[in-house]
Amino acid sequence: TTLANILIGLVNYDGKIIIDGITLSSETKKFLRKDIGIIFENPEEHFVTDKVYDEIAFVLENMDYQKNDIENKISNVAELIGINNLLERKITTLSIGEKQLVALAVAIANNPKIIIMDDGLSNIDACYREVILKILNVLRKKGMTVVNITSNSEDSIYGTDIVVINNGKVVLNKT
């Protein structure tokens, strides 16, 4: 969680982080955040609306998308993730797996360059885990960078580059 918060500019750190050629700083973090989607371990804590459609729209509205663009983006992301049937549902009625799919939709609705997952697969069953990993693989093949911060070593088999950090030290860097 600390690493995810550092990467999105919420926590101060020692050192230098460069994202897409831009050094992360207090001046650049707002600009860079538009290119980063994040999925937390428990998305429920971060939802701000009652309905799935409104949750996805909320993020896009805050990025100054126009109503027509918002509708198109929601339609596209719902189709990609397979949540068309959830758009009118209340978030409180969803399973944890469905909530993670909604969190993924929120994270990628504006087509960011980078997705950061902060243990985003830890609370879901094998069925939803497999669905999300397949979607992430499709996005990765389209050029999106996926940073999967996880304590589950099984999740790392889907990565192309793997870094293992133990007590703040890099103990494995396979690129």
Side-chain angles (χ1 to χ4, degrees):
T1 299
T2 301
L3 179 57
N5 287 332
I6 288 170
L7 293 173
I8 60 174
L10 293 178
V11 173
N12 293 329
Y13 56 92
D14 292 330
K16 183 192 260 188
I17 297 175
I18 300 172
I19 299 173
D20 202 23
I22 300 169
T23 301
L24 180 63
S25 68
S26 58
E27 294 82 31
T28 62
K29 71 180 173 183
K30 184 175 181 181
F31 171 76
L32 286 171
R33 275 195 200 151
K34 290 183 179 182
D35 286 333
I36 300 172
I38 188 156
I39 302 169
F40 294 101
E41 180 177 5
N42 186 356
E44 205 167 74
E45 297 173 359
H46 304 282
F47 289 141
V48 296
T49 68
D50 292 332
K51 197 167 69 169
V52 172
Y53 184 95
D54 296 338
E55 189 67 27
I56 302 168
F58 177 79
V59 171
L60 297 169
E61 288 165 357
N62 283 301
M63 293 183 177
D64 296 325
Y65 283 97
Q66 299 301 312
K67 184 177 183 186
N68 194 36
D69 290 334
I70 291 171
E71 291 171 3
N72 288 334
K73 286 189 172 292
I74 291 173
S75 176
N76 291 340
V77 77
E79 181 71 27
L80 173 68
I81 297 183
I83 60 167
N84 285 318
N85 60 323
L86 302 180
L87 290 177
E88 296 304 318
R89 296 240 335 248
K90 288 189 173 223
I91 291 172
T92 56
T93 67
L94 304 178
S95 71
I96 191 67
E98 290 169 330
K99 288 176 184 176
Q100 282 299 68
L101 290 175
V102 172
L104 178 58
V106 169
I108 66 170
N110 73 316
N111 197 32
K113 295 178 183 177
I114 301 168
I115 293 289
I116 298 173
M117 293 186 59
D118 180 15
D119 258 332
L121 300 173
S122 64
N123 287 327
I124 58 174
D125 63 29
C127 176
Y128 281 109
R129 172 186 295 268
E130 200 61 37
V131 168
I132 290 173
L133 287 170
K134 285 179 182 177
I135 293 166
L136 291 172
N137 195 40
V138 167
L139 295 171
R140 186 184 55 76
K141 287 179 179 178
K142 289 182 177 182
M144 192 176 291
T145 298
V146 178
V147 178
N148 186 10
I149 301 167
T150 181
S151 53
N152 183 347
S153 60
E154 288 181 26
D155 292 344
S156 66
I157 64 172
Y158 294 93
T160 57
D161 301 319
I162 300 169
V163 177
V164 177
I165 301 171
N166 186 17
N167 292 325
K169 304 281 186 214
V170 174
V171 296
L172 174 68
N173 187 355
K174 180 192 161 281
T175 56

